[in-house]
Amino acid sequence: MTIRFDKLGVVIAAIVSYAAFAAPFATFRANRIVPGEARSILDALPAAAGPLLLAIVVGAALIALLKTPLILRLAASVVALAALALLIGVSGSFLTPEGNTFARISPASGFWLLIFAFTLLLADVLTRLNLSPWARVGVLVVAAAAIGLLLVSGSWNSLSILKEYANRADSFWAEGSKHVTLALGSLAAAVISGLPLGILCHRVEKLRAGVLNVLNIIQTIPSIALFGLLIAPLGWVATHVPGAAALGIRGIGTAPAFVALFLYSLLPVVANTVVGLAGVPRAANDAARGMGMTDRQRLFGVEFPLAFPVILTGIRIVLVQNIGLATIAALIGGGGFGVFVFQGVGQTAMDLVLLGAVPTVAMAFAAAIILDAVIEMTSTRRREAQPA
Amino acid sequence: MIEIEGITKRYDATTVVDDVSMLIEPRTIAVIVGTSGSGKTTLLRMINRLVEPTSGVIRLDGADNRSLPGYQLRRSIGYAIQGHGLFPHRTVAQNIGTVPVLLGWEAARIKRRVDELMTLYQLDPQAFGPRYPHELSGGQQQRVGVARALAAEPNVLLMDEPFGALDPIIRNKAQEDLLAIQKRFGTTIILVTHDMEEAVHMGDKIAVMDAGKLVQYAKPAEILAKPASAFVETLVGASEKPFRLLSLGRVRDAVETGAAEGEAIPDDASQRDALAELLWSGRPALPVKGADGRPLGRVTVDGLVKRAARPA
Ligand SMILES: Nc1ncnc2c1ncn2[C@@H]1O[C@H](COP(=O)(O)OP(=O)(O)OP(=O)(O)O)[C@@H](O)[C@H]1O
Ligand SMILES: [Mg+2]
């Protein structure tokens, strides 16, 4: 019998062997800003737990390395990820000296690499399983519930990032809701104005090139520069338009951040609307007119539903982009998770940076999965209907 | 009645339809034939104003077709589009119900009508109604396209190569069904086809188009007997002409007195079928029976061959 290797498995096994044996699993710091000391898996965990974790990750890596049934690979990745998630919490309490509230334990590069390797394995298995859109959302919900459970159970409370959270729980949720409001609000504004603009560009050919070029140029302006450019006009509006200031419109703060995100969102929405409408089969449009639909009935009854998956792709781009970009709003006092990132950078407190970055990444990731599923659901019917 | 008067359509410098005039009597079928690109579709689409003519007038029952808004005009005219043009995001039942929905029929009536049409076109409403067009064969899609055109029981029906994708058996059936519908409702039909056989069989009159011009517009027998030009002659197929001529006549019009051996042929069969049967079985004569089974006489090879000759 010949032993056959899985291509991705080779990469995963290589990462795991480096991460488990050569890289630090956790970092111990006497307080939140001093440099840390690295701890390996065996040093970071109680007597029995260390070898157990090593056995699990090595076993899972072997399963990944060889050509094995999908279901076994799925089990291996889930078990390894669960063990890592649980034991990093154990390591937190184990390494924290009794009664010491200044010491900080944080996951180190080895831990993150192991998470990365087994997430890679999990993602590969899920792709190969060819899950339906609903099932993918289901997996996301289960994963979110598991993480939520770990957070609520307190098993991670001794980790540094949660200590940072405990110190600013109130502002965490306030900034979080600001972040979401900024990202979703600017998206909503972009959709409300971008869709009609896209339809107009589709119908009026003369407008199309001009509008798309302008939006393209806006897209290339760096965000900081765009904020700068917005300070003057918004400041002018605040002082000269009655009631504007009362609405919170100012040269700095939430208003320019909102406007900037909105402007960045316009191009994907408008461009995808134009592309989607242009892709509606000629015959369908022709039939719609031939059956006696008015222009409006044709737009809402035929063109729009057929262009919808493409438009939705534009909205997906915008949503993921906005969740990430909203971090920058903190630079001009616009709030959001970026507040923690920039405070953390200022104080060289890595944990605080993570407190802002991790939820941002998680939200963007979840948004991408959900919208991909929705796009697939709306487009399956149509996919094969296109003439070859 | 459809009156087409001096209709011309130009795209920039090219004239696609050139000064066409024709009159289509109510409750008749006019078939348009012609080579690809000769302007058949364009002419058809000027009737329901999907294309606006450069000059000329089209009147439907005496009224200029520009007296209504385009979309209202089109709801009253059935249109079977070349290559079916079904809505990919709507089910078969929804596709067929398009115009009734636009006209505001109530749901129960729409459902009844859709089921009726699907049954007529041999598509089981239960099985096919909820399917999407891409789940149908080309021939089934085409039948749905025709059913959609018929849905609102229009007085005028425009059909652009409606039976092109059907196999001979289903095509025959579809042609007979259309003729039956046309008889029953007195629909006026303009049908575009590339199939000369279909044109001769279906048309009360045939219009031959060449490079945008109407070169001949006459009864099938006249087109076959007296083609107006060499082009028409080639189009109708010189070697096929005698058989086409025969296919126009019924056996009852060729009956001679006398008896013959063998299985009788019904008197409403075409003369062409009778001749084919005679040649195939190697007999000189066939008995003819009426619809009630009564013997009417016989048809002979000699008699039929005389009828296939060019009329004087
Ligand atoms: N919108 C348009 N713009 C420019 N030219 C057009 C347009 N529509 C049709 N034509 C041209 O007009 C001519 C006639 O087209 P039409 O579709 O009426 O032909 P047809 O007789 O129906 O052909 P076929 O049998 O292939 O369907 C063709 O040469 C076509 O290229
Ligand atoms: Mg055509």
Side-chain angles (χ1 to χ4, degrees):
Chain A
M1 203 189 94
T2 54
I3 295 174
R4 294 173 55 224
F5 294 109
D6 184 275
K7 277 195 205 105
L8 184 67
V10 175
V11 178
I12 290 173
I15 297 174
V16 169
S17 33
Y18 168 76
F21 297 105
F25 183 67
T27 311
F28 173 87
R29 281 169 301 163
N31 65 54
R32 66 194 281 255
I33 51 176
V34 294
E37 305 156 25
R39 297 287 155 87
S40 72
I41 288 185
L42 291 177
D43 297 335
L45 288 168
L52 175 69
L53 182 61
L54 274 183
I56 290 175
V57 296
V58 169
L62 275 177
I63 291 173
L65 180 62
L66 302 174
K67 285 230 186 278
T68 42
L70 278 185
I71 194 74
L72 190 62
R73 300 172 80 80
L74 179 66
S77 59
V78 170
V79 168
L81 286 172
L84 285 166
L86 281 170
L87 290 176
I88 192 68
V90 171
S91 153
S93 348
F94 177 69
L95 290 178
T96 309
E98 200 71 40
N100 183 337
T101 53
F102 299 109
R104 293 297 160 108
I105 317 298
S106 44
S109 62
F111 171 83
W112 292 119
L113 280 172
L114 287 170
I115 291 283
F116 170 73
F118 291 112
T119 309
L120 204 60
L121 180 60
L122 181 63
D124 179 55
V125 173
L126 293 179
T127 318
R128 287 205 232 166
L129 281 175
N130 227 336
L131 291 181
S132 72
W134 280 114
R136 292 206 302 266
V137 174
V139 169
L140 178 68
V141 169
V142 170
I147 292 172
L149 212 66
L150 280 170
L151 284 171
V152 173
S153 73
S155 62
W156 283 347
N157 279 359
S158 49
L159 293 179
S160 55
I161 181 170
L162 285 188
K163 289 200 167 152
E164 294 294 345
Y165 166 74
N167 286 341
R168 49 198 100 215
D170 289 343
S171 66
F172 178 85
W173 293 109
E175 298 302 349
S177 83
K178 237 185 231 172
H179 197 102
V180 171
T181 314
L182 263 180
L184 291 186
S186 57
L187 169 70
V191 170
I192 290 170
S193 47
L195 280 185
L197 192 57
I199 293 166
L200 201 67
C201 287
H202 172 68
R203 291 274 160 102
V204 189
E205 208 162 324
K206 284 188 197 126
L207 266 179
R208 196 176 309 160
V211 170
L212 289 180
N213 278 335
V214 169
L215 294 179
N216 246 321
I217 292 170
I218 293 178
Q219 198 80 2
T220 60
I221 305 176
S223 43
I224 304 275
L226 189 55
F227 289 147
L229 289 175
L230 286 170
I231 290 175
L234 284 175
W236 187 87
V237 168
T239 44
H240 289 85
V241 178
L247 282 173
I249 296 177
R250 278 180 301 145
I252 55 165
T254 316
F258 187 93
V259 173
L261 289 180
F262 164 77
L263 289 175
Y264 284 136
S265 310
L266 270 182
L267 178 69
V269 173
V270 174
N272 280 51
T273 306
V274 170
V275 170
L277 290 176
V280 172
R282 236 183 83 112
N285 255 321
D286 215 42
R289 295 215 305 135
M291 296 302 118
M293 290 190 190
T294 59
D295 276 355
R296 171 190 267 269
Q297 286 168 331
R298 183 161 59 94
L299 178 65
F300 290 108
V302 176
E303 292 189 291
F304 223 67
L306 286 176
F308 192 60
V310 181
I311 296 175
L312 215 52
T313 311
I315 292 178
R316 174 205 184 280
I317 296 172
V318 169
L319 183 56
V320 174
Q321 166 186 297
N322 275 8
I323 291 174
L325 267 181
T327 326
I328 310 284
L331 277 183
I332 48 165
F337 282 130
V339 170
F340 303 123
V341 174
F342 292 114
Q343 276 179 13
V345 170
Q347 304 173 6
T348 61
M350 205 47 209
D351 303 324
L352 193 51
V353 175
L354 285 179
L355 183 66
V358 171
T360 307
V361 173
M363 280 199 304
F365 188 68
I369 290 184
I370 292 172
L371 277 175
D372 277 338
V374 175
I375 290 168
E376 200 181 316
M377 278 187 269
T378 56
S379 62
T380 33
R381 277 203 319 238
R382 203 180 79 116
R383 199 187 306 143
E384 295 151 84
Q386 297 286 340
Chain B
M1 181 154 62
I2 304 172
E3 296 163 88
I4 299 175
E5 266 183 37
I7 279 287
T8 297
K9 178 66 190 180
R10 265 191 289 275
Y11 287 111
D12 300 327
T14 47
T15 306
V16 173
V17 171
D18 192 358
D19 193 19
V20 169
S21 297
M22 59 195 277
L23 196 144
I24 297 132
E25 296 289 343
R27 295 177 286 284
T28 63
I29 301 182
V31 177
I32 306 178
V33 295
T35 43
S36 190
S38 56
K40 305 182 295 294
T41 298
T42 309
L43 178 61
L44 206 63
R45 289 159 69 89
M46 285 191 283
I47 296 172
N48 67 4
R49 279 178 53 206
L50 280 177
V51 173
E52 296 288 351
T54 310
S55 64
V57 187
I58 295 178
R59 275 187 289 270
L60 302 168
D61 289 331
D64 192 318
N65 72 347
R66 286 165 298 190
S67 54
L68 278 180
Y71 66 92
Q72 267 176 28
L73 174 79
R74 290 190 277 271
R75 286 175 194 178
S76 68
I77 299 179
Y79 181 35
I81 294 169
Q82 184 167 12
H84 78 73
L86 297 178
F87 300 124
H89 63 301
R90 295 194 177 174
T91 64
V92 167
Q94 287 169 339
N95 262 289
I96 297 178
T98 305
V99 184
V101 168
L102 290 175
L103 291 173
W105 289 16
E106 49 183 281
R109 181 173 170 211
I110 295 175
K111 178 163 181 353
R112 237 182 301 127
R113 180 67 180 147
V114 168
D115 286 359
E116 182 190 356
L117 281 165
M118 292 191 67
T119 315
L120 177 68
Y121 281 101
Q122 286 150 1
L123 299 165
D124 176 20
Q126 301 293 314
F128 286 92
R131 289 207 199 165
Y132 286 91
H134 74 265
E135 298 166 315
L136 265 52
S137 76
Q140 289 166 341
Q141 289 173 346
Q142 205 163 39
R143 276 178 278 162
V144 174
V146 173
R148 182 174 67 178
L150 290 170
E153 294 165 3
N155 279 327
V156 175
L157 195 51
L158 309 177
M159 311 185 84
D160 203 341
E161 303 185 28
F163 305 132
L166 304 187
D167 64 79
I169 294 173
I170 296 197
R171 181 186 309 159
N172 250 320
K173 168 91 173 65
Q175 288 169 349
E176 296 313 318
D177 288 341
L178 187 63
L179 284 174
I181 289 169
Q182 192 258 341
K183 292 250 153 52
R184 182 144 61 102
F185 294 103
T187 318
T188 308
I189 299 178
I190 304 186
L191 185 147
V192 172
T193 184
H194 278 290
D195 179 357
M196 210 49 213
E197 198 106 21
E198 183 168 278
V200 171
H201 179 58
M202 306 278 293
D204 291 302
K205 278 185 142 188
I206 296 179
V208 181
M209 290 193 67
D210 180 22
K213 288 202 172 61
L214 180 64
V215 288
Q216 191 168 14
Y217 179 50
K219 294 211 157 74
E222 192 181 335
I223 296 258
L224 290 171
K226 298 190 196 121
S229 67
F231 172 79
V232 180
E233 174 123 24
T234 349
L235 197 71
V236 300
S239 61
E240 303 267 349
K241 271 196 304 188
F243 304 106
R244 297 231 156 98
L245 210 50
L246 276 184
S247 72
L248 280 170
R250 302 285 126 188
V251 167
R252 75 169 72 88
D253 303 319
V255 175
E256 303 165 29
T257 51
E261 292 296 302
E263 174 103 24
I265 187 164
D267 72 339
D268 63 346
S270 81
Q271 294 174 6
R272 174 184 172 146
D273 291 345
L275 181 63
E277 179 60 32
L278 284 165
L279 294 176
W280 187 246
S281 61
R283 290 176 294 176
L286 270 182
V288 178
K289 63 177 183 192
D292 48 5
R294 216 161 30 88
L296 294 177
R298 62 175 188 174
V299 283
T300 61
V301 173
D302 288 348
L304 290 175
V305 166
K306 280 209 192 76
R307 286 175 176 272
R310 155 169 290 200

